[in-house]
Each structure stands twice: as C-alpha cells, then as structure tokens.
Amino acid sequence: NAGVTQTPKFQVLKTGQSMTLQCAQDMNHEYMSWYRQDPGMGLRLIHYSVGAGITDQGEVPNGYNVSRSTTEDFPLRLLSAAPSQTSVYFCASSYSPSVGTDTQYFGPGTRLTVL
Amino acid sequence: AQSVTQLDSHVSVSEGTPVLLRCNYSSSYSPSLFWYVQHPNKGLQLLLKYTSAATLVKGINGFEAEFKKSETSFHLTKPSAHMSDAAEYFCVVNSNTGNQFYFGTGTSLTVIP
C-alpha cells in the first residue's frame, strides 16, 4: 500500500492563479479530509468527505473547493490564490465514514507559497 | 463548542528524563481524544487515542495518556525521553458528529543529549 499520497510536494503560485492539489489513497477509506497547517495554529480542517459524492465544509473552507468522484481521490482546488493561502496542506483519510474513534492517516503534505 | 488547549508551546527535556505534554479539552459531550506526532517535514502519525474505554491509554514508542474527566485533561507522558522523540505533538478532539477534528496548537518537544 502506498497509503495517502499528495502531489505536488512544493508549489509556488502568483496571486490570482488557480491550481489543484491532488490527494489519493489506496486503502479503500470512506473518509477523506484536507487540512492547512500554519505556524502556531495547529491544523485546521478545510473540507471533508464521508464517501464518494459527499463533501462538507470544515472550519476554514473559504477560497477552496473540493469534489469526491471516486473513493480513492479527493482533490483540493484553489480558484484564485491569495497570499493568505500560503500554508502547508495535508490530506488525511480514515476507514469509517463516522470517524469519531477512527485513526486518521496523513499524507506527506504540500507546501504552497502564494506571491 | 469543542476545543483543545495545549498548555505549553515548547517543552525541553534531557535524554532519559520523563516527558509531560499537557492538554486540556472542552466538550459538551463524551469526546474521543487523540495525540498525534509530527516529525520535521513529515506527515502526522497517531500516537494513541481515547475512545471511552480505559482511561489510561497506552500508545506507540512508550507513550501513554490518561483521560481525566474531572480535570478535563488528557496529558501525554513518557517515562524516559529518547532523542528520536524530538518532534511536534498535537492533541486532537473530535466533534459531536464525529466527522470533524479540532487540533491544538501543538507542543514542540526538544530532547537534550
């Protein structure tokens, strides 16, 4: 198993550009999520999905879109990048769609800089 | 609303001495609580979790934590620090729906040789 994979590892964007951060898992997990990590703030949930075709907003969804067309993939889209979106982004997955007690498996992260 | 507070942003210990990382939680329901570790430039890995069973939870690499409802705490301990324990540690609580997680701001652990 590759686990949770994320691409790219690093990305530099200019303000106003769009891009998609890719996330894939090969563990047949129902639940997938995106977090951003900023210094001194821990990880904050952006969006999550409890199964293919189902997505919902987390704490900080503004400026980001997601979709879940397959169980394996959960891409995160930045439609018009802003400097405030400079961060490290982590994708995570877990087996159960109700994840109250479930272990989350994290990808290695994508470091995004918006100039 | 649910939240966690990590009381120390940075902890420094000598190798071979005990480790204590403090976490208090706020929740209107019976929460599940987790500790995750993040080594430099890596993703996060689960250390241990409390899910309303035994209040003393043992995790990987010799770590353990005790859920104390009366004190709303879930402190992480290890009897003897190792150099490889140097990392960032996050305390996490789940939402009442179970579909969202709330992270503390993290505690950076330094181990001095």
Side-chain angles (χ1 to χ4, degrees):
Chain A
N1 282 350
V4 181
T5 58
Q6 292 183 239
T7 56
K9 290 191 190 315
F10 302 94
Q11 183 70 48
V12 179
L13 291 178
K14 295 181 179 177
T15 297
Q17 286 186 314
S18 63
M19 80 158 297
T20 300
L21 279 62
Q22 300 291 347
C23 174
Q25 54 89 9
D26 60 359
M27 298 175 282
N28 201 31
H29 284 174
E30 290 291 337
Y31 182 94
M32 296 185 74
S33 57
W34 278 101
Y35 294 88
R36 60 179 289 172
Q37 183 178 26
D38 301 296
M41 301 189 72
L43 276 73
R44 292 179 293 168
L45 183 65
I46 304 171
H47 286 285
Y48 66 95
S49 169
V50 298
I54 306 168
T55 63
D56 208 343
Q57 296 181 350
E59 284 182 88
V60 288
N62 292 340
Y64 307 96
N65 281 348
V66 293
S67 60
R68 183 98 179 267
S69 57
T70 67
T71 299
E72 295 78 19
D73 300 298
F74 191 45
L76 179 72
R77 298 183 185 85
L78 285 69
L79 296 179
S80 178
S84 61
Q85 294 178 304
T86 294
S87 189
V88 181
Y89 291 84
F90 288 98
C91 180
S93 73
S94 57
Y95 178 73
S96 171
S98 178
V99 296
T101 62
D102 222 1
T103 299
Q104 291 196 86
Y105 295 86
F106 284 82
T110 294
R111 187 174 295 274
L112 176 67
T113 300
V114 183
L115 301 175
Chain B
Q2 49 284 325
S3 65
V4 290
T5 301
Q6 292 186 242
L7 299 170
D8 306 292
S9 59
H10 188 86
V11 170
S12 186
V13 300
S14 297
E15 188 175 17
T17 65
V19 176
L20 170 64
L21 305 182
R22 299 182 295 166
C23 173
N24 285 353
Y25 71 91
S26 173
S27 176
S28 58
Y29 52 91
S30 295
S32 293
L33 290 156
F34 308 77
W35 277 99
Y36 281 83
V37 61
Q38 182 182 31
H39 291 278
N41 300 313
K42 300 283 188 184
L44 284 77
Q45 179 186 19
L46 180 71
L47 273 180
L48 50 80
K49 60 182 177 181
Y50 166 76
T51 59
S52 75
T55 56
L56 182 61
V57 182
K58 294 187 185 299
I60 62 172
N61 300 334
F63 284 94
E64 63 181 40
E66 186 171 8
F67 175 74
K68 291 187 177 181
K69 187 175 181 179
S70 61
E71 300 177 9
T72 61
S73 68
F74 189 58
H75 301 335
L76 182 70
T77 60
K78 183 174 181 178
S80 175
H82 190 271
M83 294 299 295
S84 60
D85 295 328
E88 189 88 13
Y89 292 79
F90 293 97
C91 184
V92 184
V93 65
N94 67 329
S95 66
N96 58 349
T97 63
N99 285 335
Q100 298 195 42
F101 291 88
Y102 299 93
F103 281 71
T105 52
T107 298
S108 177
L109 176 65
T110 298
V111 182
I112 303 167

